[in-house]
Amino acid sequence: MSRVAIIGAGPSGLTSIKQCIDDNLEPVCFEASEHTGGLWRYTEIDDKNEDPHSSIYKSIIIITSKDVMAFTDFPVPYDWPTFLHNSKVAEYFDLYTEKFNLGPYIRFKSPVQRLSIQPDKRWKVTYLNPNNEECEEIFEHVMVCTGHHRYPRLPKYNGMDKFAGKQLHSHFYRRPKDYDNKRVVVVGCGNSGMDIAVELSGIASQVYLCTRKGTLPWILPRRIFGSLPSDHMATRFNIYLPTFMRDLIVKTIAYFTVGPHPTEFAPKTSPSASHPTIKTEFMERVSTGTVIIKPNIAELKDDNSIVFVDGSVISDIDVIIYATGYDIKFPFLDKEIVSGGEKIEQQFEEEYRENLVWLYKYIFPPKLTNIAFIGLVQAIGAIMPVSDLQAQYVTSLWTGNLSSKLPTQSEMEVDIIRNQETLRKRYYHAARHTIEADMVPYMDDLAKDMGCLPDLSKVLLKYGPTLWLQVLFGLPSPMHYRLFGRQAWGGAAEAIRKQNKGSPTMIMCGYPVVIIFGILLGLVLIKLL
């Protein structure tokens, strides 16, 4: 039985352990902390733990709905809230671990120090055991599951070394009470930046949100029409819609729920060319003046003032919080394994190549297919089911259960180049856009080679018209990928039915489309007859 080293016991690591067990591989998971859950396990910052792996703050609530964020064969309990507090997300991982008995395969307090390839192509894992003793073991395969939200990425502004106020990355932000009556600047308007700005606006004396691009992103709510989670609108049917129509839908939702963007900071790109930010309350706080939007920073001054690129100046700033993303790093591994090497890196501008990921399907280095990266993708959707499908894909390959062989090294290189060209045409060139992927199309691509693609004709023939409608027009359930294939789950169809029960998506999208299609088909038949 082949041994697989799994690095990290977050959601990607947990689903990788389970998949190894399902495919009769022997997993050994190395976890640096004393618990599972990765960044979703809230951790205080103190003298003993000044730089925890976890980057979540006390109040954070996940932006994807529970039905979309679930693993493919383990629904979030149906009586839980639609959007989970971080403590409930961690509890869900605990339930998953218990359900599939993953605990015995995890070695806690065992940080990996070095991964090195051996002459026989196996991997040597050097790690510290709980007694802080250095140990070594050999494995046939490795799954790296540490994610990409570990190493804070800071911007480079003039005067950062002179500014007398406090500066920190959002990775180290924990609770609002520490900022009572402070004048705070939050740099970055992604999900963390806006979330922190809104939270602090109720306790700080003034909050400024600095947008580095000079424009806001497209801002969407968690819910639309009162009760419908907005990510339920990302149905399988959307794949067949032209891009301009998907963009129009997003713009309409944004306008009538969150409100119009301030003219001077309105997005200049289409919704499909950027990563949206989910924050319903943001525009409300802007309208009250408790959050003031500013352009990018030009310079920080030693008198606690900040000069912006438009020439405006704000004074007496107590704190700057940089919500500016993360560097993709794996200190225990040679960088070129992930980035492709210096020759490839030099083809890209500095910021982009700093986070360049040169992996086939965001999983395999073309030269080393016995190491896989799980969860190293910025899915527009949820990472948990994506990591689940990636783990299934990897172990299917390693056990000879893929319907097709992996391409040659040169073919994988061509595919990576094609994907990078697509990303760079779609998104502006920044470090955050090197690993973007749309959740459903990406998962479909993996599922195709595994024989678990939810083919609509097969769904109709096996499960009938009701489930067919729910798969096509219902919420993008991860359980779609357990209807077919060698690891089909008997409870998948029932889970999909429960998730879509009373869904406004079906009422608004599914049934009207079917009725219109039926009318058109009837007219055609009448004309033919």
Side-chain angles (χ1 to χ4, degrees), residues 27 65 80 112 138 265 432 512:
S65 64
W80 282 19
V112 170
I138 300 295
F265 295 106
R432 71 172 301 192

Side-chain angles (χ1 to χ4, degrees), residues 66 104 149 168 241 251 264 272 291 295 299 366 373 422 447 493 526:
K66 66 177 181 181
H149 291 102
L168 72 153
L241 295 177
K251 289 179 180 180
E264 65 272 33
S272 60
V291 174
E299 186 179 5
F373 292 80
T422 300
I526 291 171

Side-chain angles (χ1 to χ4, degrees), residues 138-417:
I138 300 295
F139 294 84
E140 283 76 22
H141 304 283
V142 175
M143 300 173 84
V144 180
C145 306
T146 53
H148 51 95
H149 291 102
R150 174 63 185 91
Y151 299 99
R153 182 181 182 84
L154 291 170
K156 300 168 184 175
Y157 292 132
N158 292 329
M160 287 179 72
D161 57 333
K162 300 176 183 177
F163 185 75
K166 183 178 180 180
Q167 300 179 74
L168 72 153
H169 192 275
S170 58
H171 178 81
F172 300 100
Y173 173 83
R174 286 298 181 269
R175 58 187 80 234
K177 69 176 184 179
D178 300 328
Y179 303 87
D180 185 22
N181 206 33
K182 304 288 187 183
R183 287 171 57 80
V184 181
V185 172
V186 179
V187 180
C189 45
N191 289 304
S192 295
M194 280 198 184
D195 210 25
I196 292 171
V198 168
E199 179 167 272
L200 292 183
S201 67
I203 195 166
S205 63
Q206 181 63 60
V207 175
Y208 298 90
L209 181 75
C210 168
T211 167
R212 293 189 293 161
K213 272 194 70 198
T215 61
L216 291 170
W218 288 98
I219 305 170
L220 297 174
R222 279 194 173 92
R223 290 183 178 274
I224 58 176
F225 306 116
S227 62
L228 175 63
S230 58
D231 60 1
H232 285 199
M233 292 293 288
T235 66
R236 184 165 294 279
F237 180 72
N238 284 14
I239 298 173
Y240 306 106
L241 295 177
T243 301
F244 82 88
M245 191 172 292
R246 294 198 299 269
D247 284 341
L248 180 61
I249 292 171
V250 172
K251 289 179 180 180
T252 303
I253 290 172
Y255 185 87
F256 287 106
T257 56
V258 176
H261 290 69
T263 304
E264 65 272 33
F265 295 106
K268 294 181 180 178
T269 57
S270 62
S272 60
S274 58
H275 203 107
T277 296
I278 311 297
K279 197 60 191 173
T280 308
E281 308 96 319
F282 178 73
M283 289 302 184
E284 175 189 326
R285 302 305 167 89
V286 171
S287 69
T288 64
T290 52
V291 174
I292 296 175
I293 306 170
K294 300 295 291 183
N296 201 11
I297 292 173
E299 186 179 5
L300 307 181
K301 296 286 192 177
D302 57 7
D303 61 354
N304 284 32
S305 64
I306 299 177
V307 182
F308 295 91
V309 293
D310 64 353
S312 61
V313 180
I314 55 176
S315 304
D316 301 320
I317 298 302
D318 299 296
V319 184
I320 302 175
I321 300 174
Y322 296 108
T324 47
Y326 291 80
D327 287 325
I328 296 174
K329 289 182 180 179
F330 302 94
F332 49 81
L333 195 61
D334 290 339
K335 185 186 177 204
E336 65 178 20
I337 290 176
V338 182
S339 68
E342 187 175 350
K343 186 176 180 181
I344 289 174
E345 293 174 34
Q346 294 306 314
Q347 301 175 37
F348 302 91
E349 58 273 12
E350 181 181 358
E351 182 183 355
Y352 196 87
R353 69 170 173 259
E354 286 177 358
N355 271 0
L356 184 63
V357 169
W358 203 255
L359 302 175
Y360 178 65
K361 296 186 184 296
Y362 296 128
I363 299 174
F364 297 111
K367 297 178 182 178
L368 298 166
T369 56
N370 66 340
I371 183 172
F373 292 80
I374 308 299
L376 187 53
V377 56
Q378 186 70 45
I380 301 180
I383 191 60
M384 295 77 164
V386 170
S387 293
D388 191 336
L389 257 288
Q390 287 181 323
Q392 291 183 50
Y393 186 91
V394 169
T395 61
S396 295
L397 171 72
W398 290 344
T399 55
N401 286 305
L402 276 187
S403 61
S404 60
K405 293 182 179 180
L406 210 61
T408 65
Q409 179 182 331
S410 59
E411 289 171 335
M412 284 191 275
E413 297 277 4
V414 170
D415 186 86
I416 295 170
I417 292 170

Side-chain angles (χ1 to χ4, degrees), residues 64 124 186 194 427 496:
T64 49
K124 181 169 71 175
V186 179
M194 280 198 184
Y427 302 102
I496 294 168

Side-chain angles (χ1 to χ4, degrees), residues 236 389 440 443-444 447 452 454 477-484:
R236 184 165 294 279
L389 257 288
V440 173
M443 293 175 73
D444 278 1
C452 63
S477 171
M479 285 70 194
H480 290 179
Y481 302 97
R482 291 285 182 168
L483 292 170
F484 304 103

